[in-house]
Amino acid sequence: MALARESLRELLEDERVPPGVREELAEDYARVQRLLNKIEHGHVHVAVFGRVSVGKSALLNALLGEQRFATSPLHGETRRSEEACWESFDAGGVYLIDTPGINEVAGEARERLAREVATESDLVLFVVDGDITAAEHEALGWVMHEQSAVILVLNKADRYTEAERATLRQVLLSRLQGRLPEERLVLTSAAPAERIRIRVDAQGHETEERVCPPVDVDELKLRLWAVLEAEGKTLAALNAGLFAGRLSERVAERILATKQAIGERVIRLYCLSKGVAVGFNPIPGADLVAAVMLDVGMVVHLSRVYGMPFSRVEAGRLVAVISAQLAALMGTAWTLNLVAGLLKLGSGGLSTLATGTAQGAVAYFATYVVGRAAERYLAAGKSWGEGGPKRMVREILDSLDRDSMLREARVEIMARLKGRKPAGEK
């Protein structure tokens, strides 16, 4: 329990999370605060979940022994999450929570609410009233993935004969293919329907009377008590820990996505700068020096974006490793680049205009690959992963449309040289 509290507090107080990410995940952070409050007060939440009109509200009323939750023959009576303290267990530390039904017509928002409540709760009563439907099977699979404690409740069991109840029990267990222990399937009659009973007196006269069978949730109460006594507080801590872990992953994904968006802009900026510098530098050999310096500067810039600053020496080593792999994998392109450089050397720079755009485009492409490789290396915590730098560079090359990128690079370089922005750039 203490570990769960600490994990939730660390999530709430982590100053490394950018304000934009925290704002984007504000709803999740509010849920973390609710989970923390629940743990600190020692509360356990039990929520019902299921499609409309299976008797979720009636089931909670039967457990409470009073009419606390609204019921109706109309679909969608429950439109928001409601809770009530269940004083039958643990001196009131357990709360029963009603939720809207799933698969309700025009009820997408209410279904989202039901799913949110289910993920925050510590135990879920998944309620059905017969053989499970395809939609229920999918929803139950989701609940069991999100929750460590689930009880499947076959409500309205009074509608079936004893033989039919036995058959339904076996069918439901078989549908779940062993994913739910047999003792976690419980039959209930939360609001038995009235029946007409015929009485025959001694003279053979028949009279009709309406009778209501007794509510039957005793088996469910016993199962709930057993689970709560064995796992109650542990379930609350486990559920909080699971949610904290999922939120940490989402925070990390959002931060990484933000860094990648910034990284893409940085890489494109250096690509264009290098394309212009390499393709149209009139001094033979100077373009190669400019190329290396720009690649090193780009890697230094990216290392700061990813929070792992490099010195220029470290960045130079990384560029050398990536460039070596790139040269091995792009032999033809690099040969053309070298020939273009030699043309400059042989003509004193007079061939710059004829060869500059093509050479600049190759330089643009090469820097893009270097930048992407450096970015992946940084995102992985300064690791090349399995297969080393060669495999990483090959994967990047395979993911790119080389011809279209080279065409795009030529357009951008020429547009910059003509003093205008390329089409589409704001």
Side-chain angles (χ1 to χ4, degrees):
M1 190 70 74
L3 181 59
R5 280 197 298 267
E6 184 180 343
S7 297
L8 295 178
R9 285 201 186 96
E10 284 180 359
L11 267 177
L12 291 171
E13 299 169 3
D14 191 349
E15 296 179 353
R16 295 171 299 175
V17 179
V21 173
R22 189 177 290 274
E23 183 178 346
E24 185 181 350
L25 297 174
E27 211 171 289
D28 288 319
Y29 275 100
R31 291 169 70 185
V32 169
Q33 185 63 63
R34 290 196 296 271
L35 286 171
L36 181 58
N37 293 340
K38 182 179 67 174
I39 288 177
E40 289 182 336
H41 287 90
H43 293 166
V44 176
H45 287 182
V46 178
V48 289
F49 192 89
R51 63 179 173 79
V52 294
S53 298
V54 293
K56 300 185 298 298
S57 301
L59 183 67
L60 295 183
N61 287 335
L63 288 171
L64 290 166
E66 58 180 298
Q67 297 296 309
R68 292 287 298 276
F69 300 101
T71 60
S72 168
L74 301 178
H75 286 181
E77 175 66 22
T78 303
R79 296 179 175 274
R80 62 184 183 275
S81 167
E82 296 181 15
E83 66 179 45
C85 182
W86 192 32
E87 297 181 355
S88 298
F89 181 85
D90 197 27
V94 176
Y95 285 80
L96 303 180
I97 304 177
D98 198 9
T99 63
I102 62 173
N103 279 5
E104 179 187 341
V105 175
E108 292 82 2
R110 292 193 288 278
E111 179 168 341
R112 281 196 300 273
L113 172 61
R115 288 177 179 266
E116 287 176 7
V117 172
T119 56
E120 287 184 34
S121 298
D122 308 305
L123 189 152
V124 172
L125 305 179
F126 193 101
V127 186
V128 297
D129 61 1
D131 190 9
I132 195 166
T133 66
E136 286 173 324
H137 189 272
E138 181 182 352
L140 179 56
W142 174 83
V143 169
M144 293 176 69
H145 178 266
E146 295 291 320
Q147 276 291 342
S148 59
V150 179
I151 295 177
L152 178 59
V153 180
L154 172 58
N155 193 29
K156 304 183 182 180
D158 55 289
R159 300 189 308 183
Y160 305 103
T161 66
E162 186 174 343
E164 288 171 335
R165 289 196 292 269
T167 299
L168 273 172
R169 178 184 286 275
Q170 293 305 313
V171 168
L172 288 171
L173 289 172
S174 68
R175 300 268 193 238
L176 297 174
Q177 299 176 336
R179 289 184 296 157
L180 188 76
E182 188 171 348
E183 65 272 15
R184 292 289 179 94
L185 170 58
V186 178
L187 276 62
T188 62
S189 299
E194 279 189 340
R195 296 177 183 174
I196 296 176
R197 185 164 60 188
I198 307 296
R199 283 188 175 275
V200 181
D201 61 20
Q203 288 73 39
H205 298 136
E206 295 182 354
T207 58
E208 291 184 358
E209 65 176 355
R210 292 183 175 274
V211 297
C212 187
V215 169
D216 183 8
V217 292
D218 290 343
E219 184 185 356
L220 178 58
K221 282 184 178 180
L222 292 173
R223 180 53 49 201
L224 271 172
W225 288 338
V227 173
L228 292 172
E229 285 175 356
E231 310 174 36
K233 298 297 190 292
T234 303
L235 285 175
L238 178 59
N239 181 57
L242 289 173
F243 186 79
R246 289 194 292 267
L247 179 56
S248 293
E249 290 175 2
R250 286 198 289 274
V251 169
E253 288 170 1
R254 296 295 195 282
I255 292 174
L256 180 58
T258 301
K259 290 177 178 178
Q260 287 174 335
I262 297 172
E264 178 72 13
R265 292 196 294 271
V266 169
I267 292 169
R268 291 285 184 173
L269 175 63
Y270 278 90
C271 284
L272 184 56
S273 298
K274 183 175 174 181
V276 172
V278 169
F280 293 91
N281 192 319
I283 304 174
D287 54 354
L288 300 178
V289 176
V292 173
M293 295 302 292
L294 282 166
D295 283 351
V296 169
M298 175 182 65
V299 171
V300 170
H301 197 154
L302 287 172
S303 71
R304 291 172 182 163
V305 170
Y306 279 84
M308 289 175 277
F310 278 166
S311 67
R312 296 190 71 83
V313 173
E314 291 174 308
R317 293 196 192 106
L318 186 62
V319 168
V321 171
I322 298 171
S323 298
Q325 300 303 325
L326 186 58
L329 294 168
M330 281 185 60
T332 303
W334 282 92
T335 299
L336 290 173
N337 194 39
L338 179 59
V339 168
L342 290 174
L343 281 172
K344 282 186 184 180
L345 183 61
S347 59
L350 297 178
S351 301
T352 298
L353 294 177
T355 63
T357 303
Q359 190 182 15
V362 171
Y364 181 112
F365 181 82
T367 290
Y368 188 79
V369 175
V370 170
R372 287 284 303 276
E375 193 176 36
R376 285 182 57 175
Y377 175 79
L378 290 164
K382 296 184 179 180
S383 171
W384 292 115
E386 293 183 11
K390 183 174 183 179
R391 179 175 176 177
M392 185 179 287
V393 172
R394 181 180 292 280
E395 288 175 354
I396 292 170
L397 288 172
D398 290 343
S399 70
L400 299 175
D401 184 340
R402 207 171 308 180
D403 292 339
S404 65
M405 181 168 281
L406 288 172
R407 285 194 298 271
E408 177 186 337
R410 290 191 190 100
V411 171
E412 289 195 26
I413 292 168
M414 289 303 297
R416 187 55 55 93
L417 287 170
K418 291 178 181 178
R420 64 177 176 83
K421 295 181 180 179
E425 185 179 323
K426 296 181 179 179

